[in-house]
């Protein structure tokens, strides 16, 4: 999609009007993250020849967390990179159309987390996940850890459902697309806001209907903006798990018309998020939270409110979905580290 279509949202959505800021220590993060990614085998060779290498996860992390401790911002960049590496693998053959293979790979990853160690000779996705978990989980409660693991399982289910759809040629209908997209779009990443900020949400905050409306709406904004940016790449791969593609299939739209309808849906969804955010303070007041829990909720809310614009700015500056960039000796559609990741399916 044309970048101007994404940027048109800044004139139509008040919460997207002002450019996002950047963490003052962000400058060296890019080089450090690139070195970490290569050292862990998630990118091999020239990073400019793969979507993962061009993603610039450091920029998104630094825009999302402008005042957090820099080491925590970097940790979130590592989690983003790992998640993108996993998604690139799951979205490409041979796993893309095999729910069995998706579940087998994910079962290996989840077993490693519960075991607390990677298997001997484990490949990059598994060994890196265990390392990230060791750096993240100790500071969080057992309840948070259970929630994070459940969201990883939700991600597995969402990606397995997408694999079935690809194998059968099924295009999800619009009324089911949003919920399915939320599951397949890394719901565990929302949980990571808390360890980055050092602020854990109690379960009773997450059970408030206004909180659910706020977070689900925010997830939809992020996913649908991403759909606009990634549509050309996914069309090239004949992948219909994109709101633009869903609208084209359902209503017979041309791609430009479907893209403009997607923008309209984003505008309306942003209004839902704004309405939920307005009632959220009163809803939290009724819980009579202790000061520490109220502060944690306020800090997490602030990050999520700013997330759609931070993500929009990242989409514009990232090369993850740029099909015009050179692919070198590697197939643009093949995720880096594919052979290593596939080797873990045993």
């Amino acid at each position: 999609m044309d970048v101007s279509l994404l940027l048109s949202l800044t004139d139509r959505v008040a919460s997207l009007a002002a450019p996002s800021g950047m963490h003052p220590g962000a400058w060296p993060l890019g080089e450090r993250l690139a070195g970490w990614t290569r050292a862990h085998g998630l990118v091999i060779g020239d990073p400019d020849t793969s979507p993962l290498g061009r993603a610039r996860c450091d920029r998104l992390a630094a825009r999302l967390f402008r005042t957090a401790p820099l080491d925590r911002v970097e940790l979130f960049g590592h989690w983003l990179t790992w998640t993108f590496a996993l998604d690139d693998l799951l979205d490409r053959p041979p796993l893309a159309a095999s729910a069995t293979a998706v579940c087998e790979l994910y079962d290996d990853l989840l077993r490693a987390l519960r075991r607390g160690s990677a298997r001997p000779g484990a490949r990059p996705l598994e060994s890196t996940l265990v390392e990230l978990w060791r750096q993240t989980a100790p500071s969080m409660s057992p309840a948070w850890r259970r929630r994070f693991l459940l969201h990883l399982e939700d991600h597995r289910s969402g990606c397995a459902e997408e694999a079935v759809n690809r194998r059968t040629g099924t295009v999800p209908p619009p009324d089911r697309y949003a919920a399915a997209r939320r599951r397949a779009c890394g719901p565990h990443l929302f949980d990571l806001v808390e360890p980055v900020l050092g602020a854990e949400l109690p379960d009773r905050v997450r059970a408030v209907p206004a909180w659910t409306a706020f977070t689900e709406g925010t997830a939809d904004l992020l996913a649908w903006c991403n759909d606009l940016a990634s549509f050309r790449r996914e069309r090239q791969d004949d992948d219909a798990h994109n709101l633009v593609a869903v609208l084209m299939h359902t209503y017979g739209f041309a791609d430009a018309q479907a893209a403009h309808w997607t923008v309209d849906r984003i505008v309306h969804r942003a209004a839902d998020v704004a309405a939920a955010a307005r009632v959220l303070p009163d809803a939290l007041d009724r819980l009579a939270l202790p000061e520490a829990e109220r502060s944690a909720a306020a800090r997490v809310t602030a990050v999520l409110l700013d997330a759609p614009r931070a993500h929009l700015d990242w989409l514009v500056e990232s090369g993850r979905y740029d099909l015009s960039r050179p692919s070198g000796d590697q197939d643009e559609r093949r995720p880096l580290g594919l052979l290593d990741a596939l080797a873990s399916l045993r």
Side-chain angles (χ1 to χ4, degrees), residues 242-262:
N242 183 294
L243 184 55
V244 181
V246 166
L247 295 175
M248 290 174 64
H249 175 83
T250 303
Y251 300 113
F253 292 157
D255 55 0
Q257 186 179 9
H260 282 284
W261 268 52
T262 298

Side-chain angles (χ1 to χ4, degrees), residues 20 26 29 50 63 70 74 77 80 96 110 134 141 158 170 174 203 217 221 298 304 308 331 337:
S20 61
L29 275 183
S50 76
R63 289 188 181 281
L70 191 57
E74 186 170 0
L80 277 174
L110 292 172
R134 288 174 179 166
S141 71
T170 301
D203 287 341
L221 292 182
L304 295 181
D331 185 343

Side-chain angles (χ1 to χ4, degrees), residues 3 66 73 77 86-87 89 104 158 182 194 199 205 218 220 228 247 249 259 266 269 295 306 319 322 331:
V3 168
R66 299 191 300 275
V73 179
L86 175 62
D87 280 353
L89 179 61
E104 287 176 349
R182 286 194 294 270
E194 295 162 66
V205 168
T218 300
D220 291 342
L228 283 170
L247 295 175
H249 175 83
I266 292 170
R269 198 68 174 117
S295 175
D306 291 343
D322 187 355
D331 185 343

Side-chain angles (χ1 to χ4, degrees), residues 188-199:
H188 59 283
L189 292 173
F190 279 74
D191 299 320
L192 291 167
V193 174
E194 295 162 66
V196 172
L197 297 179

Side-chain angles (χ1 to χ4, degrees), residues 2-346:
D2 193 319
V3 168
S4 63
L5 193 58
L6 273 171
L7 293 179
S8 71
L9 289 164
T10 64
D11 295 325
R12 301 182 60 187
V13 178
S15 62
L16 298 178
S20 61
M22 185 74 71
H23 194 288
W27 182 252
L29 275 183
E31 185 174 348
R32 290 214 301 268
L33 184 58
W36 179 89
T37 304
R38 290 192 299 271
H40 285 74
L42 298 175
V43 165
I44 302 170
D46 183 355
D48 199 47
T49 62
S50 76
L52 180 60
R54 297 194 301 264
R56 295 302 308 271
C57 293
D58 59 294
R59 303 288 290 183
L60 180 52
R63 289 188 181 281
L64 286 169
F65 301 101
R66 299 191 300 275
T67 61
L70 191 57
D71 64 325
R72 297 281 93 184
V73 179
E74 186 170 0
L75 178 62
F76 188 80
H78 293 169
W79 274 109
L80 277 174
T81 302
W82 179 85
T83 301
F84 286 167
L86 175 62
D87 280 353
D88 283 348
L89 179 61
L90 297 178
D91 288 347
R92 303 291 188 272
L95 275 72
S98 173
T100 299
V102 169
C103 291
E104 287 176 349
L105 173 58
Y106 232 123
D107 285 346
D108 284 341
L109 297 175
L110 292 172
R111 275 195 292 266
L113 281 191
R114 295 188 172 101
R115 189 170 56 238
S117 63
R119 294 167 298 169
R123 299 303 179 171
L125 280 176
E126 183 177 329
S127 57
T128 302
L129 175 62
V130 171
E131 176 183 308
L132 291 175
W133 186 242
R134 288 174 179 166
Q135 295 170 356
T136 307
S139 64
M140 307 305 291
S141 71
W144 182 91
R145 295 177 211 171
R146 286 192 296 271
R147 187 207 323 158
F148 186 89
L149 292 174
L150 286 172
H151 282 155
L152 283 178
E153 292 177 354
D154 285 344
H155 187 237
R156 173 182 60 185
S157 298
C159 293
E161 181 179 345
E162 288 189 350
V164 171
N165 289 343
R166 294 187 191 101
R167 180 174 56 82
T168 61
T170 301
V171 178
D175 61 343
R176 294 181 53 201
Y177 178 75
R181 184 76 168 96
R182 286 194 294 270
R183 290 199 309 276
C185 206
H188 59 283
L189 292 173
F190 279 74
D191 299 320
L192 291 167
V193 174
E194 295 162 66
V196 172
L197 297 179
E200 186 168 335
L201 291 176
D203 287 341
R204 54 183 177 155
V205 168
R206 298 182 62 258
V208 171
W211 182 262
T212 300
F214 172 60
T215 54
E216 288 188 352
T218 300
D220 291 342
L221 292 182
L222 299 175
W224 299 352
C225 284
N226 209 90
D227 285 352
L228 283 170
S230 64
F231 170 68
R232 289 196 330 169
R233 190 177 108 177
E234 286 159 359
R235 181 171 61 177
Q236 179 181 8
D237 293 341
D238 197 26
D239 191 341
H241 296 97
N242 183 294
L243 184 55
V244 181
V246 166
L247 295 175
M248 290 174 64
H249 175 83
T250 303
Y251 300 113
F253 292 157
D255 55 0
Q257 186 179 9
H260 282 284
W261 268 52
T262 298
V263 170
D264 289 342
R265 288 199 171 204
I266 292 170
V267 172
H268 290 299
R269 198 68 174 117
D272 295 338
V273 172
R278 284 193 297 271
V279 303
L280 188 56
D282 288 341
L284 295 181
D285 282 342
R286 288 193 289 273
L287 295 179
L289 297 171
E291 180 57 32
E293 292 183 356
R294 184 59 190 260
S295 175
R299 294 170 66 197
V300 172
T301 300
V303 169
L304 295 181
L305 281 170
D306 291 343
R309 179 60 202 241
H311 180 250
L312 180 62
D313 288 336
W314 171 77
L315 286 172
V316 172
E317 66 189 347
S318 172
R320 179 163 172 77
Y321 304 112
D322 187 355
L323 296 183
S324 68
R325 302 293 286 276
S327 59
D329 295 330
Q330 294 168 321
D331 185 343
E332 176 76 5
R333 295 169 296 176
R334 184 177 69 86
L336 275 291
L338 173 61
L339 296 179
D340 284 340
L342 287 178
S344 69
L345 294 175
R346 62 175 186 265

